[in-house]
Structure formats: structure tokens, C-alpha cells
Amino acid sequence: MPRIIQKYGGSSVANIELIRAVARRAVAAKREGADVVVVLSAMRGETDRLIGLANEACPDPDPRELDSLLSTGEQTSVALFALACQALGEKVKSFLGHQAGIKTDDVHGKARILEINPARLKTELAKGRVCVVAGFQGQDRHGDVTTLGRGGSDTTAVALAVALEADVCEIYTDVEGIYTTDPHVCDSAQKMDKICYEEMLEMSSLGAKVMEIRSVELAMNYGVRIHVRHAHSQSTGTIICEEDADMERTPVRGVTHSVNEARITLLKVPDHPGVAATILSIVAKAGIIVDMIIQNHSEPPGTDAGGEGLWTDFSFTVPAADYENALDLMRAAGREIGAAEVLGDNNIAKVSIVGVGMRNHAGVATVMFQALAKEGINLSMISTSEIKISCVIEKKYAELAVRALHGAFKLGGPIHG
Ligand code: ASP
Ligand code: MG
């Protein structure tokens, strides 16, 4: 008997009518002969609403109490879903994280799943019941409720797929699947039938929002096949799986952009071993995650002091939310280490192309840079990995750049060329 995990996001369970619709979908899978475990998010907007209430009650809410509060969002969804299944005449039981055997560490607000004891779920499945589990939550060693971080229901679903050795983990959402780029930005964006874990990880971290990154990592580590689908349509969706030959034939499979970053530059820092470590350790201590880093020897024109190792220019990007803080820290650090100037720019965007096929195609970067140049877009930073190339550009060009790249790599499919 196939075993299926079905995860429905908040927009798919936003009201009773939608809950009824997804209950029908789960029950249909059950009646076709599958073991069905459903994982739910809170109803759309509910987690934000609860966070708002917590902040009203206390300016700096205690993480343990916040978790206790936020977990009620998913508790509501699973109970309503179970009732909707019962109304369809189906045997069903709802489970909170701890009832489903989900053990986490005790880092409230971003707990990690340590282990899952699926005994109770297995017993209920064997009795022919649909099991519906609250996403995003677990229990720590003190018996307290924990939550896994925003978007964490995806991780619950994949972790349950591992623990229950499910055949597939279906992630139901409000889009048809994973697209070659953001369809709101580029109307020739195509839904992909398949994407491999590595590409999906890059796409998620570069700004594609459908899947939570942590869940894709987990799926990759355990080889869980993910099927992303629209909750209220029968279309085929996108499979996230191991790389195959088809994927390698196309050098670039997706284009992403992000406008949530900012750049900090330290000009003319005296260049000696340890400079990069000093700068980055200050940022890391503040809990700020650095993405791109560029360092270059600088020699102002007309200097004949000459030779390498005199000065260096050092730039890096941080999340936009950390910009002010990072800039303040670097202004202080710049004085300390003798930088000539510290500059900040939060008027930037990052556009990226992704594809495992890049590994064995030459000239991909050239096509990318030419396409951007043709639009008169200047590149201020470039970074590459085996399967992606990212460029920092001026923010106002972000969407134009996405469309240009989507066209240049012919991702629009046969109709759009
Ligand atoms: N309800 C949580 C959130 O809004 C978890 C989830 O939906 O995955 O982030
Ligand atoms: Mg989500």
C-alpha cells in the first residue's frame, strides 16, 4: 500500500470551505488505497496575527511562551481538518507535534527535529485512519512545545516522510509548481516538471519562495521525493528529486532575483593576513549572515609604491534587514583597522541563474553578462558556484534583468522562444 505525506500550506486551509476541499483530496487518496498522513500549516495569516498579539502583550515576548502561542495556529487547522474528514465519513485522528512523536532540541522559535517516534501514527494508519499532524511544532526534552521557524511545516512533512518511509511527500500550495522564474515578473515563466535537489536549494536560497530551504536539504539528505502541487487544481506540479540526464542537457534551468540585500564596502584597508577574518568575525558575532564577498588589491592610479599587499578593497553583502547594523559595525571597525572609507549601498538587487548543467557547459557566464550588458545593466559584484552565477546590480533593473536572462537562456519554452 503506498504511503503518502500530504502537506497543505496556510493559503490552502485559509477558511472552512478550503479545508473541506483539501479534506476531500486527502480522503480521495485514502480511498484509492494509500496510507495518508496530512501535515498542515496554520490558516493563512494566523501565525502573523499571533505574533502581533504577542508583541502587543509584551514588547519582547519570551520565546517559550511565544512557541506555546504560535503552535495553536496549527492546532486549530488539524482539528478542523479532522472534523471535515469526519463529515465526509472518514476515520481520522489529529495529532499535535508531541503526539506524533516529534522530538526537537530546546531552541525555541527555531528548533531542530532530533528524532521522530512514529509508533502512534503507524498504529493509527494500520487501523485505517487518516492521520493529520500539526506542522511546524515539536516537543523538547523538558516536555515543552517548540516551533521550527517560519515555513517549518515543510520540514515537518519531509521529516515525517523519512520516519514513515513514505513513497512521496506532496507539498500542496497556491501555485502550480516550481517555475523557471517568478511568473509575476516574467509572463513567459514556465512550470518545470522536474527539478533536482541542488537546483531547488539554490533557487530557494536565491529568492524562490515556494519551499522552505531546510526541508529541501532534509529531502536531499534522505532521498525523499517531493511533489509540489496546487492544492485546488489537478495539474501535475513539479517533482523535486535526484539529478537526471535531462536536467544536465540544459545549462540554465531557472532565474531568480532578490532585492533583500545590501552591500558594505571597506575601501583601502591595509592588506595583511587576517584582515578578512577580522572584518567577517565582527559581522558573524552580530549574528549577521554574509552572502557574497569580494576582495581586491587596490592601487590608486599614479602610485608607484607598487606591489601587491599594500591595500585591499573589501565588499560583502548582508540581508537588507541587517544593513544599518552591519554598516555601523563596519564604520567602527574601519576606523580600527585603518580603512580609508566605509560605504554602504542598499539600493541593490541580486539576479542569479541556476542549473546543474552549467557544470559541463562552457560560456554560460558570457551569455549572462552579454544579456545584461545589452540592457545597459552594470554589474557591481559577481559570484559563481558550480551550478549558479549571481550578479549584483542596481535595484531598479532587477525585473528587467530577470526577463533578459530568461529570454537569453530560452527558458520561455517553445511558444515564447
Ligand atoms: N505557520 C508557520 C508559518 O507561518 C509554519 C508554516 O506555515 O509552515 O511560518
Ligand atoms: Mg510555506
Side-chain angles (χ1 to χ4, degrees):
M1 180 178 295
R3 186 169 281 177
I4 304 176
I5 310 292
Q6 296 191 334
K7 181 259 169 179
Y8 294 96
S11 57
S12 311
V13 294
N15 57 45
I16 294 292
E17 204 180 317
L18 292 173
I19 290 177
R20 271 207 212 105
V22 298
R24 277 197 294 277
R25 189 156 197 156
V27 167
K30 171 83 183 79
R31 291 180 184 166
E32 272 165 31
D35 272 352
V36 178
V37 176
V38 174
V39 175
L40 297 183
S41 287
M43 294 163 84
R44 181 176 50 213
E46 180 62 4
T47 307
D48 289 332
R49 188 185 73 88
L50 293 169
I51 292 173
L53 285 178
N55 287 326
E56 267 181 55
C58 174
D60 184 18
D62 173 63
R64 178 185 181 278
E65 303 312 326
L66 194 57
D67 273 359
S68 177
L69 177 68
L70 296 192
S71 67
T72 64
E74 274 69 13
Q75 175 161 5
T76 304
S77 313
V78 293
L80 289 173
F81 181 93
L83 293 172
C85 287
Q86 284 167 355
L88 296 169
E90 195 59 44
K91 290 197 287 182
V92 57
K93 214 171 234 188
S94 70
F95 296 87
L96 301 178
H98 74 93
Q99 294 170 315
I102 300 174
K103 296 269 185 243
T104 72
D105 62 20
D106 56 7
V107 186
H108 286 286
K110 46 174 188 272
R112 293 190 76 86
I113 296 178
L114 299 176
E115 61 169 333
I116 296 185
N117 176 354
R120 190 143 178 229
L121 294 179
K122 282 186 175 160
T123 310
E124 297 299 334
L125 288 173
K127 287 186 193 155
R129 288 207 169 92
V130 171
C131 294
V132 51
V133 180
F136 171 63
Q137 57 177 260
Q139 187 184 46
D140 68 12
R141 66 198 152 93
H142 314 291
D144 289 337
V145 181
T146 54
T147 67
L148 308 181
R150 297 309 301 267
S153 299
D154 291 347
T155 293
T156 305
V158 173
L160 281 173
V162 175
L164 290 164
E165 296 171 66
D167 298 275
V168 63
C169 179
E170 298 177 338
I171 302 283
Y172 286 94
T173 174
D174 54 359
V175 293
E176 300 286 338
I178 310 295
Y179 281 80
T180 49
T181 194
D182 184 344
H184 302 295
V185 170
C186 181
D187 59 15
S188 63
Q190 301 285 304
K191 188 204 57 106
M192 291 186 248
D193 291 335
K194 246 195 239 170
I195 182 169
C196 71
Y197 298 118
E198 287 88 346
E199 289 170 337
M200 191 64 234
L201 273 179
E202 287 291 359
M203 301 264 293
S204 311
S205 65
L206 295 169
K209 293 170 209 78
V210 179
M211 291 282 305
E212 185 220 15
I213 296 184
R214 199 152 48 123
S215 67
V216 182
E217 251 160 25
L218 192 63
M220 178 163 88
N221 292 340
Y222 288 91
V224 175
R225 207 177 163 81
I226 294 182
H227 192 171
V228 179
R229 306 184 68 178
H230 195 296
H232 305 291
S233 105
Q234 291 301 325
S235 61
T236 52
T238 302
I239 302 275
I240 309 174
C241 57
E242 300 287 347
E243 181 177 332
D244 68 24
D246 278 359
M247 298 170 184
E248 283 175 30
R249 266 194 284 276
T250 327
V252 173
R253 305 201 64 233
V255 179
T256 63
H257 74 294
S258 149
V259 289
N260 296 319
E261 271 155 89
R263 181 182 52 222
I264 313 265
T265 302
L266 293 92
L267 287 178
K268 278 182 72 184
V269 182
D271 190 13
H272 52 76
V275 166
T278 309
I279 295 172
L280 293 176
S281 67
I282 295 169
V283 189
K285 253 187 227 133
I288 298 172
I289 293 171
V290 167
D291 177 27
M292 287 190 188
I293 303 171
I294 285 184
Q295 191 203 304
N296 238 329
H297 294 294
S298 75
E299 249 176 83
T303 7
D304 49 359
E308 288 189 1
L310 200 52
W311 289 300
T312 184
D313 290 341
F314 195 94
S315 295
F316 57 92
T317 60
V318 296
D322 296 318
Y323 172 61
E324 305 291 343
N325 188 10
L327 191 55
D328 286 347
L329 289 169
M330 283 304 114
R331 285 200 174 119
R335 280 192 291 275
E336 198 93 331
I337 57 181
E341 208 176 340
V342 176
L343 304 172
D345 185 357
N346 58 359
N347 191 28
I348 62 166
K350 181 170 72 174
V351 286
S352 311
I353 54 173
V354 176
V356 284
M358 257 183 236
R359 289 190 194 120
N360 38 35
H361 281 81
V364 177
T366 315
V367 174
M368 179 181 200
F369 303 155
Q370 278 169 349
L372 295 172
K374 213 169 122 204
E375 301 294 341
I377 300 172
N378 196 41
L379 314 181
S380 66
M381 292 173 96
I382 298 166
S383 85
T384 65
S385 81
E386 251 197 324
I387 67 162
K388 77 142 204 241
I389 304 175
S390 299
C391 297
V392 169
I393 60 174
E394 224 183 302
K395 198 181 248 171
K396 68 176 180 200
Y397 293 126
E399 299 195 352
L400 175 64
V402 166
R403 288 189 285 269
L405 295 172
H406 199 260
F409 289 100
K410 301 186 171 50
L411 298 177
I415 312 160
H416 304 277

